[in-house]
Amino acid sequence: MNKLQTGSVYPWQTELERFIEQVESAPNQVNDGWTHQRKLAVLEKLVRAYALHQDETGAIIDPHSESERYYSTPSYALAAAVLVQEGRHDLLESAAAALTHSIACVVEEKAPDQHPDFFPILMMGAYRLLKNLLPEQATAWKQQLSRIEPEQTYIFTMSKMKNPNRMINWNAIMISGEFLRAAEGIAADSEWMETYIRSYHLPRFTGSGLYQDGPLNRPNSPFAYDIFTRFHLGVMLEAGYDGDCALELHEHLRRGALSSLLMLSPHGEIPPRGRSAQHQWNEAAAAFVFTTHAQQAHAAGERELAGAFRRAADLCWQAISRWQINDGKLHIVRNHYSSEARHGFEVYSNHTCYSLWTAAALAYTLLHGEGLDDISPTLIPTELGSRVLEADGWFQTVIAAVDGQQMLVQTSVNDPYNIPGIVRIQQSALPSLIGPSSAGHADRGFTGFAEGDIFPLSYTPAWQTEDGKWHSLSEGIPGTLEFDRDGGIDPQDGGGTVQMEQSSASDGATDFTLLWKGPFPGVREIRTGYRQVRGKIEVAYELQGNIQNVGALIPLIAYDGRERSVIHHVMSAGEETESIRVEYAGASLEVIPTTEGTNVVWPEELASVACRNGLLKGARLECEGNRISFMIRLPE
């Protein structure tokens, strides 16, 4: 692993090397069936579903809002152009019309929903594929594209914003497309991009290669916009960017790809923290990252790493295809509510736009996937071995995995949008949502829900203070400033700290302990311990302070928009013990108290809690004293 100019070493290098040794010592090739042709079929089905919504101008019209939205049309142009290259020539006229319309939108400053910055990477991708097929139209396209003046045409530029804190993912997206324009000889030069990359984007990368979006002084770090930004910068590098920042950028992106590989869930999903989480385009961007790095590893002779990257890309395709419906369209968020219900959508989520941007990212993945089928897939880190990872920067997440099972603990204590506690549990043999796969919120932030209450529900400690009120760690610590969903939070506002006291990973097990320090109501500090083996997670909480009783919140999947779970409060015959069993999608999960005298209580406020995947139902385990423990059993 190369060192950056700062001299830093990749922080997860030991874990990476251990994984490679495991693959080498026990080769685990996987025949998952995700060939180029199978992937192409997913893309074609999706694109043809939206070809039916193209109007006479070439624009793609959203069937729900009955208007053109965001960057749907250039996304369609790129995806359709890739299909044309794959032999679907009946889409040529449609792809060309979409490209013509998209170029006009940018040049005439009429981009729908004021999102021109997202257009160039999509338009230029389509242009490069179509120009030789339609030379006369290409001349007109080139003439139009040459009229773009980046500092004036786009929104997230210093000329417009005059604020370095606003040079976020939008600016990186615009630059990636503008490089392609320069590479085609349409723009005068690309020198101006170096200042943006060097000054505003390289500083956002953590040591593990994750991109921190948001203001530099108040990082707002969703995993979605980490992978989204790295996708765009990766397209730029694949297109031949070799400017002054190229070597450093390449190393950041390599580290980020390795980190995404280590963090990927057994169901092929990236971590859920932050806005736009669990939108299908998250994994579409990840598929591109894994595909291109599989090729790079293969070219470097890193056979095992190439196989793991290949498998990771395949799992991302699988994660997306699982939510493709019969007509080819997608549930753009991982639930089964109708698109009109917008459950788990962000305020800016649009069905046509996010379906087609998913298509565009997958199209770029296929475009740059030559030779991928020659790489034999092997198991990914989550499927092989044990590890505990603590994300750096302000991603505030601990990822623990063992043999096809993964749990995520968020450690933010003052962020009402990303609450603390275990927020996801997934196992390869179980339905992806049963764990559950997402938590509740203390503040809905960007996210809208068709039904359910807003409540901070995750696997987290709870306690009853001397005044009789119940509190939980998932409530966090209120900051002194009002929550700003756009600007992010000051991660240190309100006080409180979290530190990893110990962690270990051995064959078949992970074990770690977190120490949380207040101010919490009636409590000075909280120690949470997590031990995991395949099929079982043991959780223990110990609180220091003046409390009447101790407890634990238990989130249970209740409804995904189509299927309701069956939740049992189990009373063991002849014993004074209680437990919980949830049955969902043909599988089951059990929560079993392991502290004597524990009762299961069903608080009214936890009866129907909104989450991205649908509705949660919450239970509270209660007992006397200041310690409580329980086991989560995941039968296979």
Side-chain angles (χ1 to χ4, degrees):
M1 176 64 62
N2 297 328
K3 291 186 177 181
L4 295 174
Q5 292 180 3
T6 59
S8 66
V9 177
Y10 179 60
W12 293 345
Q13 183 68 18
T14 300
E15 296 295 340
L16 177 65
E17 291 174 354
R18 184 179 296 120
F19 166 68
I20 297 299
E21 290 174 0
Q22 291 167 335
V23 176
E24 289 176 336
S25 61
N28 287 275
Q29 292 190 2
V30 180
N31 182 14
D32 57 24
W34 278 98
T35 62
H36 178 84
Q37 289 302 317
R38 184 179 177 188
K39 295 170 183 176
L40 185 63
V42 171
L43 177 64
E44 182 172 3
K45 192 175 180 182
L46 179 55
V47 170
R48 291 193 182 279
Y50 286 97
L52 302 176
H53 297 282
Q54 188 173 36
D55 71 8
E56 65 279 1
T57 72
I60 303 299
I61 304 302
D62 176 62
H64 304 293
S65 58
E66 299 183 347
S67 62
E68 184 183 8
R69 301 305 307 272
Y70 297 94
Y71 35 91
S72 300
T73 303
S75 293
Y76 174 86
L78 170 63
V82 168
L83 289 174
V84 170
Q85 179 176 268
E86 291 281 352
R88 280 55 169 179
H89 298 295
D90 63 306
L91 290 171
L92 177 58
E93 182 179 347
S94 177
L99 178 57
T100 299
H101 177 83
S102 298
I103 294 172
C105 283
V106 174
V107 172
E108 297 170 14
E109 298 187 1
K110 295 180 181 178
D113 301 299
Q114 298 182 318
H115 273 62
D117 304 49
F118 291 71
F119 276 57
I121 190 73
L122 304 167
M123 296 189 307
M124 292 309 304
Y127 171 81
R128 296 177 109 189
L129 293 170
L130 300 178
K131 64 179 182 177
N132 293 330
L133 299 175
L134 299 167
E136 290 187 13
Q137 279 188 265
T139 299
W141 288 335
K142 185 173 183 179
Q143 183 179 24
Q144 286 284 84
L145 287 166
S146 67
R147 294 173 55 189
I148 295 173
E149 296 291 339
E151 291 287 339
Q152 298 305 314
T153 300
Y154 303 115
I155 293 175
F156 276 71
T157 65
M158 284 298 287
S159 296
K160 296 278 184 71
M161 294 292 178
K162 305 185 187 305
N163 180 356
N165 279 334
R166 299 300 287 160
M167 298 301 102
I168 54 173
N169 70 84
W170 282 53
N171 181 262
I173 292 164
M174 177 270 286
I175 287 172
S176 65
E178 279 298 300
F179 173 78
L180 267 65
R181 198 166 67 98
E184 286 293 315
I186 297 175
D189 61 72
S190 57
E191 291 289 325
W192 60 273
M193 301 180 192
E194 301 300 320
T195 298
Y196 277 106
I197 296 172
R198 172 70 62 193
S199 300
Y200 307 126
H201 298 298
L202 293 183
R204 294 182 180 277
F205 284 97
T206 70
S208 60
L210 303 179
Y211 182 91
Q212 298 182 109
D213 198 40
L216 289 170
N217 61 337
R218 295 179 69 183
N220 180 8
S221 300
F223 280 109
Y225 290 98
D226 156 56
I227 199 72
F228 188 62
T229 308
R230 286 192 281 119
F231 162 86
H232 285 91
L233 295 174
V235 171
M236 186 173 74
L237 282 177
E238 289 292 318
Y241 169 70
D242 61 355
D244 293 343
C245 299
L247 288 177
E248 189 170 349
L249 181 59
H250 181 275
E251 179 60 18
H252 281 305
L253 295 187
R254 175 169 167 79
R255 292 182 178 209
L258 293 169
S259 297
S260 291
L261 176 65
L262 287 164
M263 293 189 296
L264 193 69
S265 88
H267 285 286
E269 299 180 21
I270 70 170
R273 172 186 172 83
R275 64 190 179 90
S276 293
Q278 300 207 49
H279 286 57
Q280 308 297 349
W281 58 258
N282 293 191
E283 283 65 37
F288 173 87
V289 169
F290 293 137
T291 295
T292 53
H293 283 83
Q295 294 169 319
Q296 292 173 27
H298 183 67
E302 299 171 314
R303 181 176 61 86
E304 293 79 12
L305 190 57
F309 275 133
R310 159 71 197 276
R311 167 69 169 162
D314 292 352
L315 284 172
C316 288
W317 280 89
Q318 184 169 302
I320 295 167
S321 68
R322 193 177 293 124
W323 295 92
Q324 188 169 32
I325 57 181
N326 291 336
D327 67 359
K329 296 176 182 176
L330 291 172
H331 290 284
I332 66 167
V333 180
R334 290 192 166 91
N335 63 60
H336 290 286
Y337 285 82
S338 69
S339 300
E340 292 85 353
R342 295 183 59 82
H343 189 92
F345 284 35
E346 311 295 43
V347 294
Y348 48 75
S349 297
N350 175 267
H351 188 269
T352 299
C353 172
Y354 275 172
S355 288
L356 286 173
W357 195 88
T358 299
L362 295 177
Y364 259 127
T365 301
L366 291 176
L367 189 61
H368 291 280
E370 184 178 356
L372 192 69
D373 283 359
D374 296 331
I375 300 173
S376 298
T378 63
L379 298 180
I380 64 170
T382 301
E383 296 176 309
L384 180 65
S386 307
R387 57 197 49 83
V388 178
L389 305 169
E390 188 173 9
D392 57 0
W394 292 110
F395 288 91
Q396 299 175 291
T397 304
V398 179
I399 305 102
V402 53
D403 298 330
Q405 184 173 295
Q406 183 194 66
M407 70 170 175
L408 273 65
V409 178
Q410 286 183 171
T411 59
S412 47
V413 293
N414 68 337
D415 186 344
Y417 195 56
N418 301 293
I419 64 171
I422 303 176
V423 296
R424 167 180 286 175
I425 297 172
Q426 289 192 343
Q427 187 198 89
S428 56
L430 297 177
S432 63
L433 303 188
I434 197 172
S437 187
S438 63
H441 301 273
D443 189 306
R444 71 173 64 234
F446 288 91
T447 313
F449 300 100
E451 57 182 335
D453 298 323
I454 304 303
F455 194 92
L457 179 59
S458 62
Y459 288 101
T460 195
W463 62 94
Q464 187 180 36
T465 49
E466 293 182 333
D467 60 4
K469 293 182 179 179
W470 278 94
H471 305 272
S472 73
L473 179 60
S474 59
E475 297 171 3
I477 300 170
T480 61
L481 304 173
E482 185 176 350
F483 172 58
D484 183 348
R485 71 178 191 183
D486 295 294
I489 61 167
D490 177 352
Q492 298 175 328
D493 183 30
T497 61
V498 187
Q499 68 181 66
M500 180 83 74
E501 276 198 326
Q502 69 83 27
S503 70
S504 64
S506 58
D507 290 342
T510 62
D511 194 333
F512 65 98
T513 304
L514 298 174
L515 179 63
W516 315 69
K517 293 188 177 181
F520 303 111
V523 171
R524 297 185 302 277
E525 64 181 39
I526 302 170
R527 184 170 279 102
T528 61
Y530 312 89
R531 176 173 172 76
Q532 176 180 212
V533 297
R534 172 79 177 190
K536 183 172 66 175
I537 298 171
E538 297 173 333
V539 182
Y541 303 142
E542 181 178 353
L543 286 65
Q544 299 297 326
N546 298 316
I547 61 175
Q548 285 191 20
N549 292 291
V550 67
L553 293 188
I554 308 297
L556 307 164
I557 183 67
Y559 182 54
D560 64 8
R562 181 181 66 186
E563 181 174 351
R564 295 190 184 277
S565 67
V566 178
I567 297 173
H568 302 272
H569 183 166
V570 180
M571 308 290 289
S572 298
E575 301 179 24
E576 294 184 2
T577 59
E578 305 176 33
S579 62
I580 301 166
R581 185 174 72 253
V582 56
E583 298 172 353
Y584 168 76
S588 66
L589 176 148
E590 295 177 280
V591 178
I592 304 169
T594 52
T595 299
E596 187 176 353
T598 299
N599 298 315
V600 177
V601 178
W602 303 91
E604 184 178 349
E605 65 269 22
L606 303 183
S608 181
V609 176
C611 76
R612 290 192 188 278
N613 304 125
L615 298 177
L616 301 174
K617 180 179 177 66
R620 186 169 62 226
L621 308 182
E622 300 179 5
C623 70
E624 296 180 349
N626 67 336
R627 298 181 184 180
I628 191 169
S629 60
F630 60 95
M631 176 177 64
I632 304 166
R633 190 155 62 190
L634 307 161
E636 297 185 39

